[in-house]
Amino acid sequence: MADVLMNLRFSVACAIAREAGQLIRTRFLARDDALNFKFKGPQDYLTETDGEVEQLIAARLSASFPDDAFFGEESGGEVGDSVWIVDPIDGTADFARGVPYFCVSIAFVLRGKTEIGVLYDPMSDELFAARRGHGATVNGQPIKVSTIAEIRQSVVELGWSSRVPFERSAKVLEKLHALGAGVKRRGSGALGIAYVAMGRQDAYCELHINSWDAAAAVLLVEEAGGWVNEFLTKECLTQGNQVIVCTPGLRGWLENILNV
Ligand code: LIP
């Protein structure tokens, strides 16, 4: 019975991610050139669509799974034994400025472990999905991390934000460059981590990222054969944490580099 319910949660989460993604796409394409956004903090964007999409997801999940808790980036919520962790738009800065690089992220966490992770990028029409123990897919096709094991042959995305003094992120950036890594920074941690799961890049790391940004995508990497740090600690659910996801061969390099 438990497996049947988890299967149902997985299917419903995928459907909700697509519905939410279509709403995000509609709002993105209809946007005028006016700068319709506010700031929650330094370079921390907020648009009306963030709240609209989170309300849609919360309503759909509550209707299907009324006993589950809900915790979203914009509205907060309760963190119970079974809880949905949601980022309505990851990559809000790009969404706000008209750059088509963002996704919706939905994770289901049971007794502190992520069991379901679903991301949808409505601009590329890519649905990334994973259920613990059942592999990871993009649009239903299995995905795997790359086989890159040498840092000087790797593509590593480094995220950063005003939540961490830039000097610390700069030290990581300097170390990565010194070791010959190809370094990227795109602006959506969720998509950056999902790209590791499908081998588009070989690692994603950030000194601090929120649970709603990364929880779903980290499960994708685990299920795609990658290594992930102990990201989703009890504190992380509400406080965030450092995240490192990578190919197994890059683990040693990145654990050392991030020890800043
Ligand atoms: C973003 C993260 C990114 C981080 C940004 C921001 P948002 O999430 O995905 O990794 O560096 O500061 O937190 O705000 O677009 O949902």
Side-chain angles (χ1 to χ4, degrees):
M1 185 58 185
D3 197 54
V4 170
L5 181 53
M6 196 64 77
N7 257 335
L8 179 63
R9 286 193 177 102
F10 179 74
S11 302
V12 170
C14 290
I16 292 173
R18 282 196 177 277
E19 181 186 5
Q22 287 313 313
L23 175 58
I24 298 167
R25 181 184 172 92
T26 300
R27 296 289 183 262
F28 179 79
L29 295 177
R31 63 195 289 287
D32 56 26
D33 290 338
L35 296 181
N36 296 318
F37 53 80
K38 296 174 182 170
F39 286 97
K40 296 186 282 188
Q43 293 297 334
D44 191 1
Y45 285 73
L46 176 64
T47 70
E48 287 179 9
T49 306
D50 286 280
E52 184 183 11
V53 171
E54 187 164 309
Q55 285 171 18
L56 168 71
I57 295 169
R60 294 285 188 271
L61 289 172
S62 172
S64 296
F65 311 108
D67 297 330
D68 290 348
F70 179 90
F71 193 84
E73 176 175 10
E74 308 311 336
S75 59
E78 296 298 318
V79 180
D81 266 355
S82 57
V83 56
W84 295 90
I85 309 285
V86 172
D87 187 348
I89 303 177
D90 190 73
T92 306
D94 282 344
F95 173 85
R97 302 308 301 265
V99 176
Y101 185 74
F102 43 78
C103 68
V104 53
S105 177
I106 300 173
F108 178 70
V109 177
L110 181 63
R111 291 186 288 277
K113 283 186 78 171
T114 307
E115 295 294 333
I116 294 168
V118 177
L119 286 72
Y120 182 54
D121 173 349
M123 306 315 288
S124 65
D125 189 26
E126 290 182 312
L127 181 75
F128 303 89
R131 191 187 149 193
R132 184 172 294 281
H134 293 258
T137 60
V138 64
N139 291 348
Q141 298 305 307
I143 55 177
K144 297 297 283 177
V145 297
S146 80
T147 57
I148 293 290
E150 280 295 326
I151 192 75
R152 63 180 180 280
Q153 296 172 349
S154 69
V155 175
V156 179
E157 183 168 356
L158 173 64
W160 65 76
S161 73
S162 59
R163 299 185 296 270
V164 173
F166 182 68
E167 293 74 19
R168 290 185 59 209
S169 299
K171 280 183 183 168
V172 175
L173 186 60
E174 187 178 0
K175 286 185 175 181
L176 287 168
H177 275 294
L179 289 166
V183 188
K184 304 277 187 182
R185 197 253 182 181
R186 296 186 179 93
S188 165
L191 277 179
I193 296 169
Y195 282 15
V196 174
M198 68 184 297
R200 285 180 178 163
Q201 58 191 17
D202 311 305
Y204 184 96
C205 42
E206 188 160 353
L207 289 171
H208 180 277
I209 194 170
N210 290 304
S211 61
W212 49 80
D213 295 322
V218 167
L219 180 63
L220 286 171
V221 175
E222 281 187 270
E223 290 297 316
W227 178 81
V228 304
N229 72 320
E230 190 183 340
F231 172 66
L232 199 68
T233 61
K234 188 175 179 183
E235 298 73 26
C236 173
L237 280 169
T238 54
Q239 305 302 318
N241 194 6
Q242 174 176 286
V243 69
I244 309 172
V245 302
C246 60
T247 64
L250 291 177
R251 171 181 179 179
W253 295 101
L254 289 166
E255 283 191 305
N256 180 276
I257 292 166
L258 267 289
N259 183 24
V260 291

